[in-house]
Amino acid sequence: EVQLEESGGGLVQTGESLRLSCEASGFTFSRADMKWIRQAPGKGLEWVSGINTIGDTTWYVPSVKGRFTISRDNDNNILYLQMNRLQSEDTALYFCATGRPYGLYPWGTRGQGTQVTVSS
């Protein structure tokens, strides 16, 4: 069974940092393009960032480029999202997902999400 489990969310103040993790199981992680998507309160899903299988190519939505860094550890089946200089607009439920690494669709499986709340 394909499973993705996010962690690392929390309540922080504007300008602070968080690192999200996504532990993968049930599939060959090293062969899967991965991405992070988010859903802000009252809004739809938004693609945030993606990474290819070997981790040498990444993509970002313009609003997070230069602040967020996606990475992966294929030895331990973990996807990361380092988030720096957080802003109130980053408040959302963050999901990791399999699928094409750029753009929201398509995606295959996603986790339950981890909540990030940025307080000003």
Side-chain angles (χ1 to χ4, degrees):
E1 179 187 3
V2 175
Q3 288 193 327
L4 298 169
E5 184 173 355
E6 303 90 343
S7 62
L11 172 63
V12 296
Q13 301 213 337
T14 300
E16 294 185 338
S17 300
L18 282 173
R19 188 176 80 157
L20 305 184
S21 299
C22 169
E23 295 189 27
S25 61
F27 65 103
T28 306
F29 180 75
S30 61
R31 295 182 182 176
D33 293 324
M34 298 293 297
K35 58 186 157 186
W36 288 96
I37 57 180
R38 66 186 179 185
Q39 187 167 27
K43 296 189 177 180
L45 292 172
E46 177 188 31
W47 170 77
V48 177
S49 180
I51 189 168
N52 68 343
T53 55
I54 60 174
D56 67 345
T57 304
T58 58
W59 297 263
Y60 299 92
V61 67
S63 62
V64 308
K65 197 166 186 178
R67 299 189 297 121
F68 290 11
T69 303
I70 190 171
S71 62
R72 63 191 299 161
D73 178 351
N74 282 347
D75 291 333
N76 293 295
N77 299 341
I78 304 176
L79 178 71
Y80 296 104
L81 186 67
Q82 176 67 43
M83 305 187 297
N84 298 330
R85 304 198 307 277
L86 282 160
Q87 304 168 359
S88 57
E89 306 85 76
D90 298 317
T91 293
L93 187 61
Y94 284 73
F95 304 90
C96 62
T98 61
R100 190 174 68 185
Y102 45 93
L104 182 60
Y105 298 108
W107 51 268
T109 299
R110 74 179 196 192
Q112 295 298 306
T114 185
Q115 179 67 40
V116 172
T117 303
V118 185
S119 172
S120 56

